[in-house]
Amino acid sequence: MWCQSCKEEYEEEDAGTCKECYEEASETEEELKREIDELRSRFNFLRLPSPTTLDAASAPHSDLLLHAIPSSSSPGAGGDADAGRNPETPAVPAHRFILASRSPVFRAMLENEMEESRSGVIKIYDVSYDVLRTFVHYMYTAEALLDEQMASDLLVLAEKYEVKQLKTYCEKLLTSKVNNDNAIVHYAFAHRHSAKQLLEASLSVVMDNMSTLADREEYKELVEKDPRLVVEIYEAYLNRQVNTAAGKDADCSSRK
Amino acid sequence: MWCQSCKEEYEEEDAGTCKECYEEASETEEELKREIDELRSRFNFLRLPSPTTLDAASAPHSDLLLHAIPSSSSPGAGGDADAGRNPETPAVPAHRFILASRSPVFRAMLENEMEESRSGVIKIYDVSYDVLRTFVHYMYTAEALLDEQMASDLLVLAEKYEVKQLKTYCEKLLTSKVNNDNAIVHYAFAHRHSAKQLLEASLSVVMDNMSTLADREEYKELVEKDPRLVVEIYEAYLNRQVNTAAGKDADCSSRK
């Protein structure tokens, strides 16, 4: 027989679908592609020009200024490499309406009679200028170019201001980067910021490498700083062992 | 053979694809669906709360008021059923930043020192309150529920303010509704508003019904109002006849 898709001949044992199903599937694919085009064009319409590409004075109709205040007291907490080095970073212009629409925290801040609402100036603590700019850019465009460091800094900010979409986006990237070298750090981070998907992925990698766990520096640090998290690793590991054993038993008895 | 998709048996002459292509197609379908989910969630993030659901006083951070001024002098021109009846319709609140982002016309108006920019009040002429509300709603959400009348009124407004996405959206709906009864009206409308897709669709329907064309009221009106458009119909018809004849000739000679 001849395949209608790749136009090559194939044997009966390599048969896939009947003609009707093939045609249906082709139609479905076309429909899905049309839906994607349609959605993409509506998405592009809704994207807003990000004011982060402009300085505060020239951003049109901007009615808000955001100031990044890096945490000089605890370097490393927010990935703020420029903390202290450059304390007088420029303000990031923005629009009250946009921030209030994207974040319930900004909404509460701006729609009530709070200092920020009166002054039109919001200080964003423990964050570098670059992270703040990327954060604001995302609020307007639903787009951000992330490396791992930026993803974890942004995740923290997204959690603080309850921007769920951005938190999920960062978490997805971090989850895709989990490996044996960073699993313990990611595990502790995910715990701190209630990132369930990242927690599961990193815990799974940690459990796959239990034999070398205790030798790791990050492990020793975690035992020092937050031993309860270490306990949870062991509990999950034990749990998995018990389940695996139960699975094997069930397998054996069904073979008998 | 058994179809891997519908699980039914089929004969060799009803064969569709080989297994490999079937599996590839299934994967592609899954990928496309994931892409749709992803796009939809980013689209939803970018959707803004429409201020048209609120009155002007309570729309948060609104810095602009739009007033619909129906064309009482030429009823029917903009589908303004409420023209004259209700001249004092409420203002529609909006945000300068949003309108300027969506429309180059609003942008020019609001970023230059024009009266509208100073006062924060824009009068939208020849349009009903309902059409203006739907227009503003679309600017925030990329969504609108349209019937034919609303689609043509909105198309006019979208053209005036150069909101391409909305114009295309309205044109698509109108194109899908073209039939013998409305083809001449749609044809003239499409001409007036440079709606190419609608023009082609309605012209095609007009040409399919040439034998009854001259009896139609809309035809007589068009001859009266804009005879050049009628000439274009006849020219297109003649052109099609010539092409069809040439096609038949080519067909005949290839058969010889």
Side-chain angles (χ1 to χ4, degrees), chain A residues 156-186:
Chain A
V156 175
L157 207 52
E159 196 198 7
K160 185 169 168 190
Y161 290 98
E162 296 177 26
V163 187
K164 276 188 204 158
Q165 170 81 18
L166 177 57
K167 189 178 168 191
T168 306
Y169 183 58
C170 296
E171 191 179 347
K172 252 188 204 163
L173 182 119
L174 292 175
T175 302
S176 76
K177 303 279 183 190
V178 172
N179 59 39
N180 191 24
D181 286 335
N182 62 24
I184 298 173
V185 172
H186 277 336

PDB file of all heavy atoms in Angstrom, chain A residues 156-186:
ATOM      1  N   VAL A 156       9.709  35.192  42.264  1.00  0.00           N
ATOM      2  CA  VAL A 156       9.532  35.764  43.600  1.00  0.00           C
ATOM      3  C   VAL A 156       8.650  37.016  43.522  1.00  0.00           C
ATOM      4  O   VAL A 156       7.712  37.200  44.305  1.00  0.00           O
ATOM      5  CB  VAL A 156      10.903  36.112  44.225  1.00  0.00           C
ATOM      6  CG1 VAL A 156      10.727  36.818  45.560  1.00  0.00           C
ATOM      7  CG2 VAL A 156      11.745  34.848  44.390  1.00  0.00           C
ATOM      8  N   LEU A 157       8.933  37.857  42.540  1.00  0.00           N
ATOM      9  CA  LEU A 157       8.179  39.097  42.368  1.00  0.00           C
ATOM     10  C   LEU A 157       6.732  38.800  41.955  1.00  0.00           C
ATOM     11  O   LEU A 157       5.781  39.420  42.448  1.00  0.00           O
ATOM     12  CB  LEU A 157       8.880  39.940  41.293  1.00  0.00           C
ATOM     13  CG  LEU A 157       8.724  41.448  41.351  1.00  0.00           C
ATOM     14  CD1 LEU A 157       9.071  41.985  42.718  1.00  0.00           C
ATOM     15  CD2 LEU A 157       9.599  42.105  40.286  1.00  0.00           C
ATOM     16  N   ALA A 158       6.592  37.833  41.050  1.00  0.00           N
ATOM     17  CA  ALA A 158       5.247  37.465  40.577  1.00  0.00           C
ATOM     18  C   ALA A 158       4.412  36.909  41.715  1.00  0.00           C
ATOM     19  O   ALA A 158       3.206  37.159  41.806  1.00  0.00           O
ATOM     20  CB  ALA A 158       5.353  36.435  39.453  1.00  0.00           C
ATOM     21  N   GLU A 159       5.060  36.180  42.617  1.00  0.00           N
ATOM     22  CA  GLU A 159       4.325  35.650  43.762  1.00  0.00           C
ATOM     23  C   GLU A 159       3.902  36.790  44.689  1.00  0.00           C
ATOM     24  O   GLU A 159       2.762  36.850  45.149  1.00  0.00           O
ATOM     25  CB  GLU A 159       5.203  34.651  44.521  1.00  0.00           C
ATOM     26  CG  GLU A 159       4.390  33.789  45.452  1.00  0.00           C
ATOM     27  CD  GLU A 159       5.238  33.111  46.504  1.00  0.00           C
ATOM     28  OE1 GLU A 159       6.452  33.403  46.595  1.00  0.00           O
ATOM     29  OE2 GLU A 159       4.687  32.297  47.242  1.00  0.00           O
ATOM     30  N   LYS A 160       4.839  37.704  44.935  1.00  0.00           N
ATOM     31  CA  LYS A 160       4.566  38.823  45.852  1.00  0.00           C
ATOM     32  C   LYS A 160       3.393  39.665  45.355  1.00  0.00           C
ATOM     33  O   LYS A 160       2.551  40.082  46.145  1.00  0.00           O
ATOM     34  CB  LYS A 160       5.837  39.678  45.939  1.00  0.00           C
ATOM     35  CG  LYS A 160       5.768  40.804  46.931  1.00  0.00           C
ATOM     36  CD  LYS A 160       7.151  41.426  47.133  1.00  0.00           C
ATOM     37  CE  LYS A 160       7.094  42.738  47.880  1.00  0.00           C
ATOM     38  NZ  LYS A 160       8.397  43.437  47.845  1.00  0.00           N
ATOM     39  N   TYR A 161       3.344  39.895  44.041  1.00  0.00           N
ATOM     40  CA  TYR A 161       2.280  40.745  43.492  1.00  0.00           C
ATOM     41  C   TYR A 161       1.135  39.940  42.875  1.00  0.00           C
ATOM     42  O   TYR A 161       0.278  40.490  42.200  1.00  0.00           O
ATOM     43  CB  TYR A 161       2.878  41.750  42.496  1.00  0.00           C
ATOM     44  CG  TYR A 161       3.713  42.778  43.228  1.00  0.00           C
ATOM     45  CD1 TYR A 161       5.094  42.664  43.322  1.00  0.00           C
ATOM     46  CD2 TYR A 161       3.086  43.819  43.906  1.00  0.00           C
ATOM     47  CE1 TYR A 161       5.840  43.577  44.051  1.00  0.00           C
ATOM     48  CE2 TYR A 161       3.820  44.736  44.645  1.00  0.00           C
ATOM     49  CZ  TYR A 161       5.195  44.608  44.709  1.00  0.00           C
ATOM     50  OH  TYR A 161       5.922  45.507  45.449  1.00  0.00           O
ATOM     51  N   GLU A 162       1.169  38.640  43.116  1.00  0.00           N
ATOM     52  CA  GLU A 162       0.080  37.746  42.684  1.00  0.00           C
ATOM     53  C   GLU A 162      -0.209  37.821  41.181  1.00  0.00           C
ATOM     54  O   GLU A 162      -1.362  37.934  40.767  1.00  0.00           O
ATOM     55  CB  GLU A 162      -1.187  38.016  43.500  1.00  0.00           C
ATOM     56  CG  GLU A 162      -0.993  37.702  44.981  1.00  0.00           C
ATOM     57  CD  GLU A 162      -2.217  38.034  45.839  1.00  0.00           C
ATOM     58  OE1 GLU A 162      -3.323  38.027  45.307  1.00  0.00           O
ATOM     59  OE2 GLU A 162      -2.017  38.294  47.036  1.00  0.00           O
ATOM     60  N   VAL A 163       0.852  37.772  40.401  1.00  0.00           N
ATOM     61  CA  VAL A 163       0.684  37.711  38.943  1.00  0.00           C
ATOM     62  C   VAL A 163       0.856  36.241  38.534  1.00  0.00           C
ATOM     63  O   VAL A 163       1.939  35.783  38.175  1.00  0.00           O
ATOM     64  CB  VAL A 163       1.716  38.604  38.225  1.00  0.00           C
ATOM     65  CG1 VAL A 163       1.430  38.667  36.724  1.00  0.00           C
ATOM     66  CG2 VAL A 163       1.706  40.009  38.813  1.00  0.00           C
ATOM     67  N   LYS A 164      -0.240  35.507  38.620  1.00  0.00           N
ATOM     68  CA  LYS A 164      -0.196  34.049  38.467  1.00  0.00           C
ATOM     69  C   LYS A 164       0.413  33.609  37.147  1.00  0.00           C
ATOM     70  O   LYS A 164       1.195  32.671  37.084  1.00  0.00           O
ATOM     71  CB  LYS A 164      -1.618  33.486  38.548  1.00  0.00           C
ATOM     72  CG  LYS A 164      -2.082  33.269  39.967  1.00  0.00           C
ATOM     73  CD  LYS A 164      -3.417  32.535  39.960  1.00  0.00           C
ATOM     74  CE  LYS A 164      -4.155  32.846  41.261  1.00  0.00           C
ATOM     75  NZ  LYS A 164      -5.585  32.628  41.137  1.00  0.00           N
ATOM     76  N   GLN A 165      -0.009  34.281  36.073  1.00  0.00           N
ATOM     77  CA  GLN A 165       0.452  33.896  34.742  1.00  0.00           C
ATOM     78  C   GLN A 165       1.982  33.934  34.667  1.00  0.00           C
ATOM     79  O   GLN A 165       2.615  33.019  34.139  1.00  0.00           O
ATOM     80  CB  GLN A 165      -0.161  34.872  33.726  1.00  0.00           C
ATOM     81  CG  GLN A 165       0.381  34.797  32.326  1.00  0.00           C
ATOM     82  CD  GLN A 165      -0.230  33.669  31.534  1.00  0.00           C
ATOM     83  OE1 GLN A 165      -1.280  33.131  31.881  1.00  0.00           O
ATOM     84  NE2 GLN A 165       0.431  33.283  30.462  1.00  0.00           N
ATOM     85  N   LEU A 166       2.562  34.976  35.203  1.00  0.00           N
ATOM     86  CA  LEU A 166       4.021  35.114  35.158  1.00  0.00           C
ATOM     87  C   LEU A 166       4.696  34.089  36.063  1.00  0.00           C
ATOM     88  O   LEU A 166       5.730  33.515  35.701  1.00  0.00           O
ATOM     89  CB  LEU A 166       4.424  36.540  35.579  1.00  0.00           C
ATOM     90  CG  LEU A 166       5.913  36.835  35.645  1.00  0.00           C
ATOM     91  CD1 LEU A 166       6.604  36.565  34.308  1.00  0.00           C
ATOM     92  CD2 LEU A 166       6.169  38.290  36.071  1.00  0.00           C
ATOM     93  N   LYS A 167       4.096  33.830  37.209  1.00  0.00           N
ATOM     94  CA  LYS A 167       4.678  32.841  38.114  1.00  0.00           C
ATOM     95  C   LYS A 167       4.732  31.472  37.420  1.00  0.00           C
ATOM     96  O   LYS A 167       5.756  30.785  37.443  1.00  0.00           O
ATOM     97  CB  LYS A 167       3.866  32.756  39.411  1.00  0.00           C
ATOM     98  CG  LYS A 167       4.552  31.906  40.459  1.00  0.00           C
ATOM     99  CD  LYS A 167       3.804  31.830  41.769  1.00  0.00           C
ATOM    100  CE  LYS A 167       4.412  30.723  42.619  1.00  0.00           C
ATOM    101  NZ  LYS A 167       3.616  30.380  43.802  1.00  0.00           N
ATOM    102  N   THR A 168       3.629  31.100  36.787  1.00  0.00           N
ATOM    103  CA  THR A 168       3.578  29.822  36.075  1.00  0.00           C
ATOM    104  C   THR A 168       4.633  29.776  34.968  1.00  0.00           C
ATOM    105  O   THR A 168       5.294  28.755  34.774  1.00  0.00           O
ATOM    106  CB  THR A 168       2.176  29.633  35.442  1.00  0.00           C
ATOM    107  OG1 THR A 168       1.201  29.793  36.469  1.00  0.00           O
ATOM    108  CG2 THR A 168       2.034  28.276  34.803  1.00  0.00           C
ATOM    109  N   TYR A 169       4.764  30.878  34.260  1.00  0.00           N
ATOM    110  CA  TYR A 169       5.729  30.966  33.160  1.00  0.00           C
ATOM    111  C   TYR A 169       7.151  30.734  33.667  1.00  0.00           C
ATOM    112  O   TYR A 169       7.919  29.944  33.103  1.00  0.00           O
ATOM    113  CB  TYR A 169       5.581  32.352  32.518  1.00  0.00           C
ATOM    114  CG  TYR A 169       6.435  32.622  31.308  1.00  0.00           C
ATOM    115  CD1 TYR A 169       6.369  31.824  30.179  1.00  0.00           C
ATOM    116  CD2 TYR A 169       7.298  33.721  31.289  1.00  0.00           C
ATOM    117  CE1 TYR A 169       7.150  32.096  29.068  1.00  0.00           C
ATOM    118  CE2 TYR A 169       8.071  34.007  30.176  1.00  0.00           C
ATOM    119  CZ  TYR A 169       8.003  33.187  29.069  1.00  0.00           C
ATOM    120  OH  TYR A 169       8.774  33.467  27.972  1.00  0.00           O
ATOM    121  N   CYS A 170       7.506  31.395  34.758  1.00  0.00           N
ATOM    122  CA  CYS A 170       8.847  31.239  35.335  1.00  0.00           C
ATOM    123  C   CYS A 170       9.045  29.819  35.872  1.00  0.00           C
ATOM    124  O   CYS A 170      10.104  29.217  35.694  1.00  0.00           O
ATOM    125  CB  CYS A 170       9.050  32.230  36.487  1.00  0.00           C
ATOM    126  SG  CYS A 170       9.010  33.938  35.943  1.00  0.00           S
ATOM    127  N   GLU A 171       8.011  29.319  36.515  1.00  0.00           N
ATOM    128  CA  GLU A 171       8.109  27.985  37.101  1.00  0.00           C
ATOM    129  C   GLU A 171       8.348  26.933  36.014  1.00  0.00           C
ATOM    130  O   GLU A 171       9.143  26.010  36.204  1.00  0.00           O
ATOM    131  CB  GLU A 171       6.828  27.677  37.883  1.00  0.00           C
ATOM    132  CG  GLU A 171       6.970  26.426  38.736  1.00  0.00           C
ATOM    133  CD  GLU A 171       5.718  26.122  39.542  1.00  0.00           C
ATOM    134  OE1 GLU A 171       4.829  26.994  39.650  1.00  0.00           O
ATOM    135  OE2 GLU A 171       5.645  24.997  40.070  1.00  0.00           O
ATOM    136  N   LYS A 172       7.662  27.101  34.890  1.00  0.00           N
ATOM    137  CA  LYS A 172       7.842  26.172  33.772  1.00  0.00           C
ATOM    138  C   LYS A 172       9.293  26.167  33.317  1.00  0.00           C
ATOM    139  O   LYS A 172       9.885  25.113  33.103  1.00  0.00           O
ATOM    140  CB  LYS A 172       6.962  26.592  32.590  1.00  0.00           C
ATOM    141  CG  LYS A 172       5.793  25.692  32.360  1.00  0.00           C
ATOM    142  CD  LYS A 172       5.091  26.067  31.042  1.00  0.00           C
ATOM    143  CE  LYS A 172       3.653  25.613  31.090  1.00  0.00           C
ATOM    144  NZ  LYS A 172       2.839  26.272  30.072  1.00  0.00           N
ATOM    145  N   LEU A 173       9.861  27.353  33.152  1.00  0.00           N
ATOM    146  CA  LEU A 173      11.250  27.416  32.702  1.00  0.00           C
ATOM    147  C   LEU A 173      12.172  26.745  33.719  1.00  0.00           C
ATOM    148  O   LEU A 173      13.025  25.927  33.360  1.00  0.00           O
ATOM    149  CB  LEU A 173      11.708  28.852  32.465  1.00  0.00           C
ATOM    150  CG  LEU A 173      13.148  28.865  31.945  1.00  0.00           C
ATOM    151  CD1 LEU A 173      13.248  29.495  30.585  1.00  0.00           C
ATOM    152  CD2 LEU A 173      14.133  29.469  32.917  1.00  0.00           C
ATOM    153  N   LEU A 174      12.001  27.067  34.989  1.00  0.00           N
ATOM    154  CA  LEU A 174      12.873  26.481  36.017  1.00  0.00           C
ATOM    155  C   LEU A 174      12.726  24.966  36.048  1.00  0.00           C
ATOM    156  O   LEU A 174      13.713  24.239  36.173  1.00  0.00           O
ATOM    157  CB  LEU A 174      12.546  27.089  37.389  1.00  0.00           C
ATOM    158  CG  LEU A 174      12.901  28.574  37.551  1.00  0.00           C
ATOM    159  CD1 LEU A 174      12.420  29.099  38.902  1.00  0.00           C
ATOM    160  CD2 LEU A 174      14.406  28.794  37.405  1.00  0.00           C
ATOM    161  N   THR A 175      11.496  24.494  35.925  1.00  0.00           N
ATOM    162  CA  THR A 175      11.251  23.050  35.955  1.00  0.00           C
ATOM    163  C   THR A 175      12.003  22.356  34.823  1.00  0.00           C
ATOM    164  O   THR A 175      12.564  21.268  35.001  1.00  0.00           O
ATOM    165  CB  THR A 175       9.731  22.779  35.848  1.00  0.00           C
ATOM    166  OG1 THR A 175       9.071  23.451  36.922  1.00  0.00           O
ATOM    167  CG2 THR A 175       9.430  21.294  35.923  1.00  0.00           C
ATOM    168  N   SER A 176      12.035  23.005  33.670  1.00  0.00           N
ATOM    169  CA  SER A 176      12.721  22.401  32.514  1.00  0.00           C
ATOM    170  C   SER A 176      14.236  22.365  32.705  1.00  0.00           C
ATOM    171  O   SER A 176      14.945  21.666  31.983  1.00  0.00           O
ATOM    172  CB  SER A 176      12.373  23.171  31.238  1.00  0.00           C
ATOM    173  OG  SER A 176      13.085  24.399  31.204  1.00  0.00           O
ATOM    174  N   LYS A 177      14.746  23.121  33.680  1.00  0.00           N
ATOM    175  CA  LYS A 177      16.193  23.204  33.880  1.00  0.00           C
ATOM    176  C   LYS A 177      16.689  22.377  35.067  1.00  0.00           C
ATOM    177  O   LYS A 177      17.875  22.434  35.405  1.00  0.00           O
ATOM    178  CB  LYS A 177      16.613  24.667  34.126  1.00  0.00           C
ATOM    179  CG  LYS A 177      16.227  25.643  33.028  1.00  0.00           C
ATOM    180  CD  LYS A 177      17.204  25.591  31.872  1.00  0.00           C
ATOM    181  CE  LYS A 177      16.842  26.635  30.824  1.00  0.00           C
ATOM    182  NZ  LYS A 177      17.592  26.481  29.599  1.00  0.00           N
ATOM    183  N   VAL A 178      15.800  21.679  35.738  1.00  0.00           N
ATOM    184  CA  VAL A 178      16.215  20.933  36.935  1.00  0.00           C
ATOM    185  C   VAL A 178      17.172  19.801  36.559  1.00  0.00           C
ATOM    186  O   VAL A 178      16.908  19.049  35.622  1.00  0.00           O
ATOM    187  CB  VAL A 178      14.979  20.348  37.668  1.00  0.00           C
ATOM    188  CG1 VAL A 178      15.409  19.413  38.782  1.00  0.00           C
ATOM    189  CG2 VAL A 178      14.106  21.465  38.218  1.00  0.00           C
ATOM    190  N   ASN A 179      18.283  19.718  37.243  1.00  0.00           N
ATOM    191  CA  ASN A 179      19.196  18.583  37.075  1.00  0.00           C
ATOM    192  C   ASN A 179      19.816  18.247  38.425  1.00  0.00           C
ATOM    193  O   ASN A 179      19.535  18.913  39.443  1.00  0.00           O
ATOM    194  CB  ASN A 179      20.264  18.898  36.014  1.00  0.00           C
ATOM    195  CG  ASN A 179      21.079  20.121  36.404  1.00  0.00           C
ATOM    196  OD1 ASN A 179      21.414  20.322  37.583  1.00  0.00           O
ATOM    197  ND2 ASN A 179      21.397  20.961  35.427  1.00  0.00           N
ATOM    198  N   ASN A 180      20.652  17.241  38.454  1.00  0.00           N
ATOM    199  CA  ASN A 180      21.200  16.759  39.726  1.00  0.00           C
ATOM    200  C   ASN A 180      21.980  17.864  40.458  1.00  0.00           C
ATOM    201  O   ASN A 180      22.002  17.908  41.681  1.00  0.00           O
ATOM    202  CB  ASN A 180      22.092  15.545  39.471  1.00  0.00           C
ATOM    203  CG  ASN A 180      22.448  14.853  40.775  1.00  0.00           C
ATOM    204  OD1 ASN A 180      21.713  14.980  41.771  1.00  0.00           O
ATOM    205  ND2 ASN A 180      23.556  14.135  40.779  1.00  0.00           N
ATOM    206  N   ASP A 181      22.613  18.760  39.700  1.00  0.00           N
ATOM    207  CA  ASP A 181      23.428  19.795  40.335  1.00  0.00           C
ATOM    208  C   ASP A 181      22.611  20.877  41.042  1.00  0.00           C
ATOM    209  O   ASP A 181      23.077  21.470  42.004  1.00  0.00           O
ATOM    210  CB  ASP A 181      24.335  20.470  39.287  1.00  0.00           C
ATOM    211  CG  ASP A 181      25.472  19.546  38.887  1.00  0.00           C
ATOM    212  OD1 ASP A 181      25.822  18.664  39.703  1.00  0.00           O
ATOM    213  OD2 ASP A 181      25.971  19.679  37.751  1.00  0.00           O
ATOM    214  N   ASN A 182      21.410  21.147  40.502  1.00  0.00           N
ATOM    215  CA  ASN A 182      20.652  22.255  41.101  1.00  0.00           C
ATOM    216  C   ASN A 182      19.382  21.797  41.813  1.00  0.00           C
ATOM    217  O   ASN A 182      18.612  22.629  42.312  1.00  0.00           O
ATOM    218  CB  ASN A 182      20.322  23.313  40.027  1.00  0.00           C
ATOM    219  CG  ASN A 182      19.432  22.743  38.918  1.00  0.00           C
ATOM    220  OD1 ASN A 182      18.714  21.766  39.123  1.00  0.00           O
ATOM    221  ND2 ASN A 182      19.468  23.367  37.751  1.00  0.00           N
ATOM    222  N   ALA A 183      19.155  20.481  41.846  1.00  0.00           N
ATOM    223  CA  ALA A 183      17.863  19.979  42.332  1.00  0.00           C
ATOM    224  C   ALA A 183      17.587  20.387  43.786  1.00  0.00           C
ATOM    225  O   ALA A 183      16.467  20.790  44.116  1.00  0.00           O
ATOM    226  CB  ALA A 183      17.790  18.467  42.174  1.00  0.00           C
ATOM    227  N   ILE A 184      18.603  20.315  44.646  1.00  0.00           N
ATOM    228  CA  ILE A 184      18.357  20.640  46.064  1.00  0.00           C
ATOM    229  C   ILE A 184      18.024  22.124  46.224  1.00  0.00           C
ATOM    230  O   ILE A 184      17.088  22.501  46.932  1.00  0.00           O
ATOM    231  CB  ILE A 184      19.589  20.275  46.928  1.00  0.00           C
ATOM    232  CG1 ILE A 184      19.841  18.758  46.827  1.00  0.00           C
ATOM    233  CG2 ILE A 184      19.367  20.669  48.383  1.00  0.00           C
ATOM    234  CD1 ILE A 184      21.118  18.306  47.504  1.00  0.00           C
ATOM    235  N   VAL A 185      18.772  22.965  45.530  1.00  0.00           N
ATOM    236  CA  VAL A 185      18.512  24.408  45.595  1.00  0.00           C
ATOM    237  C   VAL A 185      17.110  24.718  45.067  1.00  0.00           C
ATOM    238  O   VAL A 185      16.337  25.466  45.672  1.00  0.00           O
ATOM    239  CB  VAL A 185      19.586  25.186  44.781  1.00  0.00           C
ATOM    240  CG1 VAL A 185      19.217  26.651  44.668  1.00  0.00           C
ATOM    241  CG2 VAL A 185      20.948  25.028  45.442  1.00  0.00           C
ATOM    242  N   HIS A 186      16.759  24.108  43.921  1.00  0.00           N
ATOM    243  CA  HIS A 186      15.427  24.333  43.362  1.00  0.00           C
ATOM    244  C   HIS A 186      14.333  23.795  44.281  1.00  0.00           C
ATOM    245  O   HIS A 186      13.254  24.388  44.388  1.00  0.00           O
ATOM    246  CB  HIS A 186      15.301  23.666  41.979  1.00  0.00           C
ATOM    247  CG  HIS A 186      15.856  24.513  40.868  1.00  0.00           C
ATOM    248  ND1 HIS A 186      15.962  25.875  40.953  1.00  0.00           N
ATOM    249  CD2 HIS A 186      16.314  24.197  39.624  1.00  0.00           C
ATOM    250  CE1 HIS A 186      16.464  26.358  39.831  1.00  0.00           C
ATOM    251  NE2 HIS A 186      16.704  25.362  39.014  1.00  0.00           N
TER     252      HIS A 186
END
